[in-house]
Amino acid sequence: MTLSSSRAGALPRWLPVAFFVTWTMLAVVAVWWFALREPTSRVIFVEMGAGGSLDVSASRLLMHQQLLPWMPWLLLAPYVLWTAFRFPLFGTAKWRNGMVLLVAGALFVGLSAAFQDRAARQQPILAPMPAVETWFPPGFDKTPGGEFGIPLAREIGRDPQIELPEAFGLPPEVDPRKLPGMIFTREEMKQRIEARWAKIASRSKAALGGLAKSPGDSAILLDAFAFGALLIAAHAGIFLRTARRENERAALLDSSHAMARARALQAQLQPHFLFNTLNGIATLTRKDPERAEEMITSLSELLRIALDGERQAEIPLREELHFIDRYLDLQRMRFGERLKVEREINRDTLGLLVPALLVQPLVENAIHHGIEPRGQGGCVRITTAVEGERLVIRIEDDGVGLDPSKGGSGSGIGLASIRERLAALYPGRHAFRSEEPPGGGVRMIIELPAHTSAS
């Protein structure tokens, strides 16, 4: 498994661009339709049903107008979410991002208010029609909302001799014909409203059934609340995406760690190496039984550690050095006095965490590609130090160096695994390089964040 494989299910790069282009076109059409297009009629007459309720068509139109405040939130939501994903309120740039989001919030509220104000001005007036006739007392049409008069429940008629019904919106003993004012029929009311709708609209702060012409403090607060809700949703998405990536990274580390153990075991215990080690132990059983027993113990410990399936991705440096000691015990049996080892281990580094099986492949490379090609043998030097906030590990040999003609190698078994695991565990926070010291040989240097808890 590689880092690129975790992105196998990612969306094509062109898809978000296509989405935003399509959404922008739809937003332009919606703005034109609701805020810029001139309506075919400025006045829509609404039939009053039983109990003063609106008919179905009027109810739908009224619901349409009431949903208009939600329209700018819907149109601007993708852009707000993108801005929040691009400038999250955490990390090293959180204060700068906070200022960007404040500006974006002000634009969101301003555009939403401008849309609502313009859309409100373009909405037709819903004029409720009385069941039969309308009565206007003197001066009643001069009051806000009085342009629509007082609806009467039943027809009064023009003949004074006709008996007046009781349910026409006034006390039964009151006859509107005998009161000052005017009575209009349904058709007369329609003509009156159509002729005076501009004056009616200008005198009313909020057209009957329409929207306010300018948003108040409550509308601004609602817009700000909607922007905040979109920010919260975006950051929740960011945290979920980060958690998913962390899970993918953990799975990658597990897979890489298992591969590292397999590679390390293969490099350490190749058939010829294990065969030679066992032959050496067999020889020592006759010459030096105690030494042979010690070698068997070292080999057993090496196998146990290498095959341990419960090892963590990171372990204390002291455990890694203990593993190297067991490995060097076996190599000394093979090389004898030809192999020398020097250590400069800073005590402050022993408790710091390092990737499991990190140093051993470097020691192995130093022996097999640096010391072994030399007939007279050589020395391997292991150094650890804390420099600032970084743990620095150096593995150096005085062997043949990087010259391939002499058997030297700058890669070796396990080095590719080291690079992969360092990149996965400490992306952008590590260094891994090789140098050629003035006296010959190779020096491998690893720099890690100095830490004692899992990162």
Side-chain angles (χ1 to χ4, degrees):
M1 182 177 182
T2 62
L3 286 174
S4 60
S5 64
S6 64
R7 302 189 182 97
L11 295 175
R13 292 185 177 181
W14 59 266
L15 190 58
V17 176
F19 169 79
F20 273 94
V21 170
T22 304
W23 189 270
T24 301
M25 295 174 62
L26 292 175
V28 170
V29 172
V31 171
W32 172 81
W33 182 266
F34 291 105
L36 302 178
R37 180 181 61 94
E38 291 292 334
T40 56
S41 176
R42 286 291 185 176
V43 182
I44 296 180
F45 296 98
V46 180
E47 294 289 346
M48 300 297 295
S53 61
L54 297 176
D55 60 20
V56 176
S57 60
S59 298
R60 290 177 179 176
L61 181 58
L62 184 59
M63 182 179 297
H64 166 80
Q65 291 183 341
Q66 291 173 341
L67 290 177
L68 275 180
W70 295 73
M71 187 62 64
W73 303 352
L74 177 64
L75 297 178
L76 296 173
Y79 309 103
V80 174
L81 294 175
W82 179 88
T83 304
F85 273 97
R86 180 65 178 81
F87 303 97
L89 291 174
F90 53 82
T92 56
K94 59 184 177 182
W95 297 112
R96 183 201 65 184
N97 293 351
M99 296 301 298
V100 172
L101 292 179
L102 280 177
V103 174
L107 287 175
F108 179 88
V109 173
L111 291 174
S112 179
F115 175 89
Q116 294 182 47
D117 180 71
R118 179 67 183 181
R121 295 175 185 272
Q122 297 299 98
Q123 294 306 302
I125 297 174
L126 298 181
M129 292 301 299
V132 179
E133 297 176 324
T134 302
W135 171 49
F136 284 86
F140 189 75
D141 59 344
K142 304 297 183 181
T143 61
E147 296 88 350
F148 300 99
I150 300 176
L152 303 178
R154 296 182 182 178
E155 184 178 3
I156 296 176
R158 298 299 182 183
D159 188 353
Q161 303 301 322
I162 297 178
E163 182 180 357
L164 293 176
E166 297 182 358
F168 54 77
L170 293 174
E173 65 274 9
V174 177
D175 182 358
R177 295 173 303 179
K178 299 179 180 180
L179 296 176
M182 297 177 292
I183 296 177
F184 290 87
T185 64
R186 289 167 58 89
E187 292 302 320
E188 291 173 339
M189 274 297 298
K190 287 183 178 181
Q191 296 173 6
R192 170 186 170 88
I193 293 175
E194 288 176 343
R196 304 180 59 183
W197 76 265
K199 182 178 180 181
I200 293 173
S202 64
R203 291 185 55 189
S204 301
K205 292 184 178 180
L208 185 59
L211 300 174
K213 288 188 176 182
S214 59
D217 294 340
S218 59
I220 294 176
L221 289 176
L222 282 176
D223 291 337
F225 176 79
F227 181 80
L230 290 172
L231 286 188
I232 293 174
H235 282 76
I238 293 173
F239 289 129
L240 289 176
R241 183 179 63 179
T242 302
R244 184 175 63 252
R245 288 182 176 177
E246 288 298 321
N247 290 337
E248 293 175 353
R249 189 166 73 98
L252 173 63
L253 290 178
D254 289 343
S255 175
S256 179
H257 181 53
M259 186 182 300
R261 287 202 307 271
R263 289 178 179 175
L265 182 58
Q266 179 184 1
Q268 299 153 15
L269 305 176
Q270 294 175 7
H272 72 273
F273 170 75
L274 183 58
F275 177 80
N276 291 337
T277 302
L278 292 176
N279 277 344
I281 292 174
T283 302
L284 285 175
T285 55
R286 294 187 291 271
K287 295 181 179 180
D288 190 351
E290 293 183 359
R291 180 63 174 167
E293 182 179 354
E294 183 180 350
M295 292 301 100
I296 292 173
T297 302
S298 294
L299 180 59
S300 174
E301 179 72 7
L302 184 66
L303 286 170
R304 184 190 65 80
I305 296 175
L307 294 173
D308 184 7
E310 299 299 326
R311 293 174 61 81
Q312 301 297 317
E314 292 180 302
I315 61 174
L317 180 61
R318 62 168 58 89
E319 294 184 19
E320 181 74 1
L321 295 176
H322 176 67
F323 179 83
I324 293 171
D325 288 340
R326 302 285 72 78
Y327 174 78
L328 289 173
D329 286 343
L330 293 174
Q331 293 292 3
R332 286 195 190 93
M333 183 185 67
R334 180 180 176 187
F335 290 96
E337 297 298 323
R338 295 172 55 208
L339 176 60
K340 296 181 180 180
V341 179
E342 296 179 358
R343 295 179 177 87
E344 294 182 13
I345 307 301
N346 188 325
R347 289 182 176 271
D348 295 336
T349 64
L350 294 177
L352 300 179
L353 296 183
V354 297
L357 303 179
L358 171 72
V359 183
Q360 185 277 331
L362 300 180
V363 175
E364 179 197 355
N365 255 24
I367 294 174
H368 288 283
H369 300 288
I371 304 302
E372 187 174 3
R374 294 179 59 185
Q376 69 272 29
C379 177
V380 176
R381 183 176 297 104
I382 304 173
T383 304
T384 66
V386 176
E387 298 179 3
E389 296 182 354
R390 299 172 77 83
L391 167 63
V392 181
I393 302 173
R394 297 180 177 88
I395 308 298
E396 182 177 345
D397 67 79
D398 57 358
V400 299
L402 301 176
D403 187 357
S405 64
K406 297 181 180 180
S409 173
S411 57
I413 300 174
L415 297 192
S417 175
I418 290 177
R419 291 189 178 92
E420 291 175 2
R421 290 188 294 143
L422 289 177
L425 277 169
Y426 319 107
R429 298 181 294 134
H430 74 282
F432 182 34
R433 63 185 184 274
S434 62
E435 298 176 351
E436 294 190 66
V442 176
R443 180 187 298 128
M444 305 298 295
I445 301 174
I446 296 179
E447 297 183 13
L448 311 173
H451 64 293
T452 56
S453 59
S455 58

